[in-house]
Amino acid sequence: METIILQKEENIAVLTISRPKALNALNTKVLKELDGAIDEIENDNEIYALVITGDGEKAFVAGADIAEMKDMNPKEARNFSILGNKVFRRIESLRIPTIAAVNGYALGGGCELAMACDIRIASETAKFGQPEVGLGITPGFGGTQRLSRIVGKSKAKELIFTGDVIDANEALRIGLVNKVVKKEELIDEAKKLANKISQNAPIAVGLAKAAIDRGYQADIDTAIMYEAEVFSQCFATEDQKDGMTAFTEKRKVEKFKN
Ligand code: HXC
Protein backbone atom coordinates (compact mmCIF):
# COMPACT_ATOMS: atom_id res chain seq x y z
CA MET A 1 0.00 0.00 0.00
CA GLU A 2 1.36 3.40 -0.99
CA THR A 3 -1.25 5.73 0.45
CA ILE A 4 -2.28 3.91 3.61
CA ILE A 5 -0.13 3.14 6.63
CA LEU A 6 -1.51 0.46 8.94
CA GLN A 7 0.28 0.00 12.26
CA LYS A 8 -0.69 -2.43 14.96
CA GLU A 9 0.13 -1.82 18.61
CA GLU A 10 -0.99 -4.64 20.91
CA ASN A 11 -4.77 -4.75 20.52
CA ILE A 12 -5.26 -1.52 18.60
CA ALA A 13 -4.45 -0.42 15.06
CA VAL A 14 -3.71 3.03 13.66
CA LEU A 15 -4.59 3.65 10.03
CA THR A 16 -3.06 6.76 8.45
CA ILE A 17 -4.23 8.21 5.13
CA SER A 18 -0.94 9.25 3.57
CA ARG A 19 -0.92 11.51 0.54
CA PRO A 20 0.42 14.59 2.28
CA LYS A 21 1.33 16.53 -0.89
CA ALA A 22 -2.38 16.60 -1.80
CA LEU A 23 -3.48 17.05 1.85
CA ASN A 24 -4.47 13.36 1.89
CA ALA A 25 -7.19 13.90 -0.72
CA LEU A 26 -9.10 10.73 -1.50
CA ASN A 27 -8.63 9.48 -5.05
CA THR A 28 -9.61 6.07 -6.43
CA LYS A 29 -6.25 4.60 -5.44
CA VAL A 30 -6.59 5.72 -1.81
CA LEU A 31 -10.15 4.38 -1.63
CA LYS A 32 -9.10 1.00 -3.05
CA GLU A 33 -6.15 0.76 -0.69
CA LEU A 34 -8.42 1.72 2.19
CA ASP A 35 -10.74 -1.10 1.13
CA GLY A 36 -7.77 -3.51 1.23
CA ALA A 37 -6.73 -2.25 4.67
CA ILE A 38 -10.25 -2.92 5.94
CA ASP A 39 -9.94 -6.54 4.74
CA GLU A 40 -6.78 -6.82 6.79
CA ILE A 41 -8.41 -5.29 9.88
CA GLU A 42 -11.52 -7.47 9.56
CA ASN A 43 -9.42 -10.61 9.35
CA ASP A 44 -7.34 -9.79 12.41
CA ASN A 45 -9.10 -10.89 15.58
CA GLU A 46 -6.39 -9.31 17.70
CA ILE A 47 -7.42 -5.77 16.73
CA TYR A 48 -10.01 -4.53 19.23
CA ALA A 49 -10.17 -0.84 18.21
CA LEU A 50 -9.06 1.30 15.27
CA VAL A 51 -7.77 4.88 15.09
CA ILE A 52 -7.94 6.65 11.71
CA THR A 53 -5.87 9.77 11.10
CA GLY A 54 -4.17 11.79 8.36
CA ASP A 55 -0.49 12.13 7.56
CA GLY A 56 1.25 15.45 8.17
CA GLU A 57 0.54 18.54 10.21
CA LYS A 58 -2.07 20.17 8.06
CA ALA A 59 -4.82 17.82 7.06
CA PHE A 60 -6.84 14.84 8.16
CA VAL A 61 -8.27 14.59 4.64
CA ALA A 62 -8.97 17.72 2.55
CA GLY A 63 -11.71 15.97 0.59
CA ALA A 64 -12.14 13.77 -2.41
CA ASP A 65 -9.56 14.48 -5.09
CA ILE A 66 -10.81 17.47 -7.07
CA ALA A 67 -8.24 16.95 -9.84
CA GLU A 68 -9.54 13.42 -10.39
CA MET A 69 -13.20 14.46 -10.27
CA LYS A 70 -12.88 17.53 -12.49
CA ASP A 71 -13.45 15.80 -15.84
CA MET A 72 -15.73 13.00 -14.70
CA ASN A 73 -18.98 12.35 -16.53
CA PRO A 74 -22.12 11.53 -14.50
CA LYS A 75 -21.55 7.77 -14.78
CA GLU A 76 -17.94 8.03 -13.58
CA ALA A 77 -19.01 10.35 -10.78
CA ARG A 78 -21.69 7.88 -9.70
CA ASN A 79 -19.15 5.03 -9.63
CA PHE A 80 -16.74 7.18 -7.61
CA SER A 81 -19.46 8.04 -5.11
CA ILE A 82 -20.52 4.39 -4.86
CA LEU A 83 -16.91 3.27 -4.30
CA GLY A 84 -16.37 5.80 -1.50
CA ASN A 85 -19.73 5.04 0.07
CA LYS A 86 -19.02 1.32 -0.01
CA VAL A 87 -15.65 1.78 1.70
CA PHE A 88 -17.03 4.21 4.32
CA ARG A 89 -19.97 1.91 5.05
CA ARG A 90 -17.48 -0.92 5.61
CA ILE A 91 -15.62 1.28 8.10
CA GLU A 92 -18.88 2.19 9.81
CA SER A 93 -19.93 -1.46 9.98
CA LEU A 94 -16.64 -2.79 11.37
CA ARG A 95 -17.22 -4.98 14.41
CA ILE A 96 -14.62 -2.96 16.34
CA PRO A 97 -14.98 0.67 17.46
CA THR A 98 -13.34 3.30 15.28
CA ILE A 99 -11.96 6.65 16.39
CA ALA A 100 -11.15 9.46 13.94
CA ALA A 101 -8.18 11.47 15.19
CA VAL A 102 -8.77 14.64 13.20
CA ASN A 103 -5.44 16.42 12.92
CA GLY A 104 -6.30 19.25 10.52
CA TYR A 105 -8.63 19.91 7.60
CA ALA A 106 -11.53 17.47 7.42
CA LEU A 107 -13.38 18.86 4.43
CA GLY A 108 -15.87 17.22 2.09
CA GLY A 109 -14.87 13.56 1.86
CA GLY A 110 -12.59 14.11 4.86
CA CYS A 111 -15.46 15.21 7.08
CA GLU A 112 -17.44 12.29 5.63
CA LEU A 113 -14.66 9.85 6.55
CA ALA A 114 -14.53 11.20 10.10
CA MET A 115 -18.31 10.84 10.34
CA ALA A 116 -18.12 7.19 9.27
CA CYS A 117 -16.14 6.56 12.47
CA ASP A 118 -17.83 5.90 15.80
CA ILE A 119 -16.05 8.65 17.75
CA ARG A 120 -14.22 11.81 16.66
CA ILE A 121 -11.40 13.46 18.58
CA ALA A 122 -10.10 16.70 17.09
CA SER A 123 -6.93 18.68 17.57
CA GLU A 124 -7.39 22.38 18.32
CA THR A 125 -6.26 23.06 14.75
CA ALA A 126 -8.85 20.83 13.06
CA LYS A 127 -11.35 22.33 10.65
CA PHE A 128 -14.55 20.73 9.44
CA GLY A 129 -16.86 21.46 6.54
CA GLN A 130 -18.81 20.23 3.56
CA PRO A 131 -17.77 22.83 0.96
CA GLU A 132 -19.01 20.84 -2.05
CA VAL A 133 -21.74 23.24 -3.22
CA GLY A 134 -18.99 25.80 -3.81
CA LEU A 135 -17.55 23.38 -6.37
CA GLY A 136 -20.89 22.80 -8.06
CA ILE A 137 -21.50 19.39 -6.49
CA THR A 138 -23.22 17.88 -3.47
CA PRO A 139 -21.49 15.81 -0.80
CA GLY A 140 -21.12 12.29 -2.21
CA PHE A 141 -19.55 10.04 0.41
CA GLY A 142 -22.48 10.07 2.84
CA GLY A 143 -22.30 13.70 4.04
CA THR A 144 -25.94 14.54 3.36
CA GLN A 145 -26.98 11.53 5.43
CA ARG A 146 -24.48 11.23 8.29
CA LEU A 147 -24.11 14.94 9.10
CA SER A 148 -27.85 15.27 9.74
CA ARG A 149 -27.85 12.12 11.85
CA ILE A 150 -24.99 13.49 13.97
CA VAL A 151 -25.80 17.20 14.34
CA GLY A 152 -29.48 17.30 13.36
CA LYS A 153 -31.15 18.16 10.07
CA SER A 154 -31.26 21.91 10.44
CA LYS A 155 -27.59 22.39 11.36
CA ALA A 156 -26.58 19.93 8.64
CA LYS A 157 -28.52 21.94 6.08
CA GLU A 158 -26.90 25.17 7.26
CA LEU A 159 -23.40 23.70 6.97
CA ILE A 160 -24.01 22.02 3.62
CA PHE A 161 -25.88 24.95 2.02
CA THR A 162 -23.28 27.53 3.12
CA GLY A 163 -20.18 25.35 2.78
CA ASP A 164 -18.96 27.02 5.97
CA VAL A 165 -15.77 25.68 7.49
CA ILE A 166 -15.96 25.46 11.29
CA ASP A 167 -13.21 25.10 13.86
CA ALA A 168 -12.79 22.31 16.38
CA ASN A 169 -14.53 24.14 19.23
CA GLU A 170 -17.60 24.85 17.11
CA ALA A 171 -17.56 21.20 15.99
CA LEU A 172 -17.53 20.23 19.67
CA ARG A 173 -20.36 22.62 20.45
CA ILE A 174 -22.64 21.14 17.78
CA GLY A 175 -21.76 17.55 18.68
CA LEU A 176 -19.75 16.77 15.57
CA VAL A 177 -16.72 15.83 17.67
CA ASN A 178 -16.52 14.17 21.07
CA LYS A 179 -13.44 15.97 22.36
CA VAL A 180 -10.89 18.64 21.42
CA VAL A 181 -7.28 18.23 22.52
CA LYS A 182 -3.92 19.94 21.97
CA LYS A 183 -2.35 19.16 18.60
CA GLU A 184 0.62 17.35 20.11
CA GLU A 185 -1.62 15.21 22.31
CA LEU A 186 -4.06 14.08 19.63
CA ILE A 187 -2.68 10.68 18.66
CA ASP A 188 -1.88 9.73 22.24
CA GLU A 189 -5.40 10.71 23.34
CA ALA A 190 -6.95 8.70 20.51
CA LYS A 191 -4.77 5.68 21.30
CA LYS A 192 -5.52 6.05 25.01
CA LEU A 193 -9.23 5.89 24.25
CA ALA A 194 -8.76 2.93 21.88
CA ASN A 195 -6.72 1.12 24.55
CA LYS A 196 -9.31 1.87 27.21
CA ILE A 197 -12.05 0.40 25.01
CA SER A 198 -9.88 -2.61 24.21
CA GLN A 199 -9.65 -3.50 27.92
CA ASN A 200 -13.37 -4.32 27.83
CA ALA A 201 -14.90 -7.50 26.45
CA PRO A 202 -14.50 -7.18 22.67
CA ILE A 203 -17.57 -9.18 21.71
CA ALA A 204 -19.73 -7.15 24.09
CA VAL A 205 -18.30 -3.89 22.72
CA GLY A 206 -18.93 -5.05 19.14
CA LEU A 207 -22.47 -6.15 19.92
CA ALA A 208 -23.18 -2.87 21.72
CA LYS A 209 -21.96 -1.01 18.63
CA ALA A 210 -24.22 -3.09 16.39
CA ALA A 211 -27.19 -2.56 18.73
CA ILE A 212 -26.72 1.22 18.77
CA ASP A 213 -26.25 1.45 15.00
CA ARG A 214 -29.03 -0.92 13.99
CA GLY A 215 -31.40 0.35 16.64
CA TYR A 216 -30.83 3.95 15.52
CA GLN A 217 -32.45 3.10 12.20
CA ALA A 218 -35.39 1.20 13.68
CA ASP A 219 -38.51 2.01 15.70
CA ILE A 220 -38.05 1.72 19.48
CA ASP A 221 -39.91 -1.61 19.80
CA THR A 222 -37.77 -3.28 17.14
CA ALA A 223 -34.66 -1.63 18.57
CA ILE A 224 -35.13 -2.87 22.15
CA MET A 225 -35.82 -6.38 20.87
CA TYR A 226 -32.55 -6.15 19.00
CA GLU A 227 -30.88 -5.13 22.25
CA ALA A 228 -32.41 -8.16 24.03
CA GLU A 229 -30.99 -10.32 21.23
CA VAL A 230 -27.40 -9.04 21.54
CA PHE A 231 -27.64 -9.05 25.34
CA SER A 232 -28.56 -12.73 25.27
CA GLN A 233 -25.75 -13.51 22.82
CA CYS A 234 -23.24 -12.23 25.41
CA PHE A 235 -24.27 -15.09 27.69
CA ALA A 236 -22.83 -17.58 25.20
CA THR A 237 -19.36 -16.01 25.57
CA GLU A 238 -16.49 -16.84 27.88
CA ASP A 239 -16.11 -13.12 28.52
CA GLN A 240 -19.48 -12.98 30.27
CA LYS A 241 -18.53 -15.90 32.52
CA ASP A 242 -15.11 -14.38 33.23
CA GLY A 243 -16.44 -10.86 33.76
CA MET A 244 -19.19 -11.83 36.18
CA THR A 245 -17.12 -14.43 38.02
CA ALA A 246 -14.36 -11.86 38.51
CA PHE A 247 -16.89 -9.41 39.97
CA THR A 248 -18.22 -11.94 42.46
CA GLU A 249 -14.63 -12.83 43.43
CA LYS A 250 -13.85 -9.10 43.88
CA ARG A 251 -11.13 -9.00 41.25
CA LYS A 252 -10.70 -7.62 37.73
CA VAL A 253 -10.47 -9.71 34.57
CA GLU A 254 -6.85 -9.54 33.49
CA LYS A 255 -7.62 -9.88 29.80
CA PHE A 256 -10.84 -10.78 28.05
CA LYS A 257 -10.27 -13.67 25.67
CA ASN A 258 -12.80 -13.51 22.87
C1 HXC B 1 -7.07 17.49 -4.71
C2 HXC B 1 -6.14 18.89 -3.17
C3 HXC B 1 -7.34 18.89 -2.41
C4 HXC B 1 -8.43 18.10 -2.90
C5 HXC B 1 -5.91 20.18 -1.41
N1 HXC B 1 -5.29 19.69 -2.52
N2 HXC B 1 -7.14 19.70 -1.33
N3 HXC B 1 -6.01 18.20 -4.30
N4 HXC B 1 -8.25 17.44 -4.04
N5 HXC B 1 -9.58 18.01 -2.23
C6 HXC B 1 -3.91 19.98 -2.96
C7 HXC B 1 -3.80 21.35 -3.56
O1 HXC B 1 -4.21 21.35 -4.91
C8 HXC B 1 -2.30 21.61 -3.41
O2 HXC B 1 -1.62 20.89 -4.43
C9 HXC B 1 -1.98 20.96 -2.09
O3 HXC B 1 -3.04 20.00 -1.85
C10 HXC B 1 -1.96 21.93 -0.94
O4 HXC B 1 -3.18 22.62 -0.92
P1 HXC B 1 -3.27 24.23 -0.91
O5 HXC B 1 -4.60 24.60 -1.44
O6 HXC B 1 -2.07 24.83 -1.59
O7 HXC B 1 -3.18 24.53 0.65
P2 HXC B 1 -3.82 25.74 1.44
O8 HXC B 1 -3.72 27.03 0.68
O9 HXC B 1 -3.23 25.70 2.80
O10 HXC B 1 -5.39 25.39 1.56
C11 HXC B 1 -5.81 24.25 2.25
C12 HXC B 1 -7.29 23.98 1.90
C13 HXC B 1 -7.45 23.94 0.37
C14 HXC B 1 -8.17 25.08 2.49
C15 HXC B 1 -7.67 22.63 2.55
O11 HXC B 1 -6.47 23.02 -0.17
C16 HXC B 1 -8.79 23.49 -0.09
O12 HXC B 1 -9.76 24.26 -0.07
N6 HXC B 1 -8.91 22.25 -0.57
C17 HXC B 1 -10.14 21.72 -1.14
C18 HXC B 1 -11.14 21.45 -0.06
C19 HXC B 1 -12.45 20.95 -0.64
O13 HXC B 1 -13.13 21.67 -1.39
N7 HXC B 1 -12.81 19.71 -0.33
C20 HXC B 1 -14.00 19.08 -0.84
C21 HXC B 1 -13.72 18.37 -2.12
S1 HXC B 1 -15.17 17.71 -2.85
P3 HXC B 1 -0.43 21.60 -5.26
O14 HXC B 1 -0.04 20.54 -6.25
O15 HXC B 1 -0.99 22.82 -5.86
O16 HXC B 1 0.62 21.86 -4.23
C22 HXC B 1 -15.43 16.29 -1.98
C23 HXC B 1 -16.57 15.45 -2.47
C24 HXC B 1 -16.71 14.16 -1.74
O17 HXC B 1 -14.76 15.98 -1.05
C25 HXC B 1 -17.64 13.20 -2.44
C26 HXC B 1 -17.14 12.62 -3.69
C27 HXC B 1 -18.04 11.61 -4.31
Short mmCIF file of all heavy atoms in Angstrom, two decimals, residues 11 30 46 58 60 82 167 185 187 195 202 208 214 225 250:
data_model
loop_
_atom_site.label_atom_id
_atom_site.label_comp_id
_atom_site.label_asym_id
_atom_site.label_seq_id
_atom_site.Cartn_x
_atom_site.Cartn_y
_atom_site.Cartn_z
N ASN A 11 -3.43 -4.45 21.03
CA ASN A 11 -4.77 -4.75 20.52
C ASN A 11 -5.43 -3.59 19.78
O ASN A 11 -6.64 -3.61 19.56
CB ASN A 11 -5.67 -5.24 21.66
CG ASN A 11 -5.29 -6.63 22.09
OD1 ASN A 11 -4.86 -6.84 23.21
ND2 ASN A 11 -5.42 -7.60 21.19
N VAL A 30 -6.49 5.71 -3.28
CA VAL A 30 -6.59 5.72 -1.81
C VAL A 30 -7.80 4.90 -1.36
O VAL A 30 -7.71 4.08 -0.44
CB VAL A 30 -6.72 7.17 -1.26
CG1 VAL A 30 -6.84 7.15 0.26
CG2 VAL A 30 -5.53 8.03 -1.69
N GLU A 46 -7.13 -9.93 16.60
CA GLU A 46 -6.39 -9.31 17.70
C GLU A 46 -6.58 -7.80 17.76
O GLU A 46 -6.12 -7.15 18.69
CB GLU A 46 -4.89 -9.63 17.57
CG GLU A 46 -4.55 -11.12 17.76
CD GLU A 46 -4.96 -11.62 19.14
OE1 GLU A 46 -4.57 -10.99 20.12
OE2 GLU A 46 -5.70 -12.62 19.21
N LYS A 58 -1.05 19.24 8.51
CA LYS A 58 -2.07 20.17 8.06
C LYS A 58 -3.48 19.59 7.90
O LYS A 58 -4.47 20.27 8.14
CB LYS A 58 -1.60 20.72 6.71
CG LYS A 58 -2.08 22.09 6.39
CD LYS A 58 -1.26 22.66 5.26
CE LYS A 58 -1.99 23.72 4.55
NZ LYS A 58 -1.26 24.23 3.40
N PHE A 60 -6.33 16.21 7.97
CA PHE A 60 -6.84 14.84 8.16
C PHE A 60 -7.05 14.32 6.74
O PHE A 60 -6.26 13.54 6.24
CB PHE A 60 -8.13 14.92 8.97
CG PHE A 60 -8.87 13.63 9.13
CD1 PHE A 60 -8.36 12.61 9.92
CD2 PHE A 60 -10.10 13.44 8.51
CE1 PHE A 60 -9.06 11.41 10.07
CE2 PHE A 60 -10.80 12.24 8.66
CZ PHE A 60 -10.28 11.24 9.44
N ILE A 82 -20.16 5.73 -5.35
CA ILE A 82 -20.52 4.39 -4.86
C ILE A 82 -19.30 3.70 -4.23
O ILE A 82 -19.41 3.08 -3.17
CB ILE A 82 -21.14 3.54 -6.00
CG1 ILE A 82 -22.56 4.07 -6.29
CG2 ILE A 82 -21.18 2.06 -5.64
CD1 ILE A 82 -23.21 3.48 -7.52
N ASP A 167 -14.39 25.57 13.12
CA ASP A 167 -13.21 25.10 13.86
C ASP A 167 -13.59 24.00 14.85
O ASP A 167 -14.78 23.66 15.00
CB ASP A 167 -12.47 26.28 14.52
CG ASP A 167 -13.29 26.95 15.61
OD1 ASP A 167 -14.27 26.34 16.11
OD2 ASP A 167 -12.95 28.09 15.98
N GLU A 185 -1.09 16.31 21.48
CA GLU A 185 -1.62 15.21 22.31
C GLU A 185 -2.62 14.34 21.56
O GLU A 185 -3.10 13.34 22.10
CB GLU A 185 -2.30 15.80 23.57
CG GLU A 185 -1.32 16.43 24.52
CD GLU A 185 -1.99 17.27 25.60
OE1 GLU A 185 -3.24 17.29 25.67
OE2 GLU A 185 -1.24 17.91 26.34
N ILE A 187 -2.82 12.13 18.92
CA ILE A 187 -2.68 10.68 18.66
C ILE A 187 -2.65 9.90 19.96
O ILE A 187 -3.29 8.85 20.08
CB ILE A 187 -1.44 10.42 17.77
CG1 ILE A 187 -1.82 10.73 16.31
CG2 ILE A 187 -0.96 9.00 17.85
CD1 ILE A 187 -2.88 9.79 15.71
N ASN A 195 -7.22 2.12 23.58
CA ASN A 195 -6.72 1.12 24.55
C ASN A 195 -7.71 0.91 25.69
O ASN A 195 -7.90 -0.22 26.14
CB ASN A 195 -5.37 1.57 25.11
CG ASN A 195 -4.23 1.15 24.20
OD1 ASN A 195 -4.19 0.01 23.74
ND2 ASN A 195 -3.33 2.07 23.90
N PRO A 202 -14.35 -7.62 24.06
CA PRO A 202 -14.50 -7.18 22.67
C PRO A 202 -15.81 -7.59 22.00
O PRO A 202 -16.36 -6.83 21.21
CB PRO A 202 -13.30 -7.79 21.96
CG PRO A 202 -12.73 -8.80 22.88
CD PRO A 202 -13.18 -8.46 24.26
N ALA A 208 -22.58 -4.15 21.31
CA ALA A 208 -23.18 -2.87 21.72
C ALA A 208 -23.16 -1.89 20.55
O ALA A 208 -24.14 -1.17 20.30
CB ALA A 208 -22.42 -2.30 22.92
N ARG A 214 -27.82 -0.36 14.60
CA ARG A 214 -29.03 -0.92 13.99
C ARG A 214 -30.27 -0.32 14.61
O ARG A 214 -31.23 0.01 13.93
CB ARG A 214 -29.07 -2.43 14.20
CG ARG A 214 -28.16 -3.16 13.27
CD ARG A 214 -28.87 -4.41 12.79
NE ARG A 214 -27.91 -5.46 12.58
CZ ARG A 214 -28.22 -6.75 12.52
NH1 ARG A 214 -29.47 -7.13 12.70
NH2 ARG A 214 -27.30 -7.64 12.30
N MET A 225 -35.89 -4.93 21.08
CA MET A 225 -35.82 -6.38 20.87
C MET A 225 -34.44 -6.76 20.34
O MET A 225 -33.88 -7.80 20.68
CB MET A 225 -36.90 -6.85 19.87
CG MET A 225 -38.28 -6.98 20.49
SD MET A 225 -38.27 -7.73 22.15
CE MET A 225 -37.76 -9.40 21.77
N LYS A 250 -14.44 -10.41 43.54
CA LYS A 250 -13.85 -9.10 43.88
C LYS A 250 -12.48 -8.90 43.25
O LYS A 250 -11.51 -8.51 43.90
CB LYS A 250 -13.80 -8.89 45.39
CG LYS A 250 -15.17 -8.96 46.06
CD LYS A 250 -15.16 -8.41 47.45
CE LYS A 250 -16.50 -8.58 48.15
NZ LYS A 250 -17.63 -7.96 47.45
#
